[in-house]
Amino acid sequence: MISRGPDWGGDAFDVVLIGGADGRMVEAVALAGGRVVATPGWGEALESDPGALVAVDVGGSASLPDLSTLAGRADLVCCDLDQLDLVAGALLLTDAELLCAPSMAERIAALAIVAAEAVAGGVREGEAARLRRFSAEVARVAQLLGRLAASEGGELADRRPAYDAGPLLSDAFVDPQIVRQAIRARRLRTAHFGDGLFEDPAWDMLLDLFAAELEGGHVSVSSLCIAAHVAPTTALRWIGRMTEAGLFERRPDPQDRRRAFMALTQRGSVAMRGYVAALGRAGLVLG
């Protein structure tokens, strides 16, 4: 139940907490101005409408239960990095906010945002602005790839016809070593200039998935988060945005249906091949 708290400057909120044996989530709820009203065990069924936010903390658990039953039920889920693939296999791209190896500040902020959504019926203005920036950046990447790949008579093609990518051949050959070299070059920047100056998770993940596709490999969610070179929780948000943009897709692991791989969609693959072809025609290097 969401209610106005007389002794707290914001909205007091109730939380049904599943897991969280180490007490960090209980502390985070209290610091965010909420209260834990129930702690059902993993095997206990949730009420159809618990009347409270549902937070799940599997961090530190020796073994994970079947989390698929929480799809559409959980509002916030915390996990450790080594649990991410199993958690993502069940809950990635659901309405749940996923936090991976979160700090106490990240837990508090996520709880506050989720609670504010429940109170106001939508995201807070600051959070909405952040999501709009995410969406705008993903749209920019998608539009750039599409423009360079399709060469539909845009400004770039008009001024420099040599940049025309030519036909969009989804089976056009691209040497995966070219993509791996681009990835290594990007990592060298960080080695020389330090972390945080050149963060571009959308492009880093595109390159990683493209290289894996060319090599016939698979990329787990946790591996893709590492490739993004940002905090895992931030990477998870970007995976969601790139999926919404039609560039990434989730594919179940045939060997373990609890897990999932990430891959380029056909649109993403064709766009990347067209982009590399456009660079080659222009004598430019993938970076």
Side-chain angles (χ1 to χ4, degrees):
M1 173 183 301
I2 306 298
S3 60
R4 182 69 59 178
D7 299 323
W8 184 67
D11 296 305
F13 55 94
D14 294 344
V15 175
V16 172
L17 176 60
I18 303 174
D22 62 7
R24 287 182 296 173
M25 186 56 77
V26 173
E27 181 182 359
V29 169
L31 290 172
R35 50 186 169 257
V36 175
V37 295
T39 56
W42 291 112
E44 297 180 42
L46 286 175
E47 299 177 22
S48 57
D49 181 6
L53 302 179
V54 177
V56 182
D57 189 353
V58 299
S61 299
S63 60
L64 295 186
D66 181 9
L67 298 175
S68 61
T69 58
L70 294 172
R73 310 292 305 284
D75 297 293
L76 177 66
V77 181
C78 297
C79 68
D80 296 333
L81 183 59
D82 60 358
Q83 301 169 318
L84 179 56
D85 289 321
L86 287 174
V87 172
L91 300 173
L92 184 66
L93 307 181
T94 67
D95 291 335
E97 175 76 7
L98 299 186
L99 302 182
C100 183
S103 65
M104 181 59 69
E106 288 172 327
R107 291 169 186 261
I108 295 169
L111 283 164
I113 290 171
V114 172
E117 290 175 352
V119 171
V123 295
R124 296 179 304 177
E125 182 177 352
E127 177 67 2
R130 183 181 65 79
L131 294 179
R132 284 196 296 270
R133 288 196 297 273
F134 267 113
S135 298
E137 180 64 15
V138 170
R140 181 189 68 79
V141 173
Q143 290 170 3
L144 175 62
L145 291 175
R147 185 168 65 249
L148 290 173
S151 298
E152 296 176 339
E155 180 181 0
L156 185 60
D158 288 340
R159 294 186 179 183
R160 303 237 180 220
Y163 289 165
D164 185 357
L168 287 182
L169 302 176
S170 60
D171 59 350
F173 174 75
V174 179
D175 186 349
Q177 289 302 312
I178 293 176
V179 185
R180 290 297 180 191
Q181 288 170 4
I183 294 173
R184 286 194 292 271
R186 293 171 69 81
R187 299 287 70 79
L188 281 174
R189 294 186 313 184
T190 300
H192 286 275
F193 294 98
D195 293 329
L197 293 177
F198 303 105
E199 290 181 353
D200 193 358
W203 187 240
D204 283 326
M205 290 190 291
L206 274 168
L207 288 173
D208 192 62
L209 290 179
F210 189 40
E213 177 185 284
L214 295 173
E215 296 165 346
H218 300 290
V219 179
S220 66
V221 175
S222 59
S223 177
L224 190 58
C225 287
I226 293 171
H229 287 270
V230 291
T233 297
T234 302
L236 286 169
R237 294 194 183 107
W238 273 104
I239 290 173
R241 298 297 167 190
M242 298 297 278
T243 302
E244 290 175 4
L247 297 173
F248 292 179
E249 64 182 3
R250 179 180 176 273
R251 297 177 183 173
D253 181 349
Q255 304 301 320
D256 186 346
R257 304 297 291 184
R258 299 174 302 166
R259 300 177 184 269
F261 294 127
M262 298 303 301
L264 294 178
T265 60
Q266 182 178 14
R267 173 190 170 195
S269 177
V270 170
M272 287 297 290
R273 291 171 189 273
Y275 177 56
V276 174
L279 291 176
R281 292 173 186 271
L284 301 175
V285 178
L286 180 66

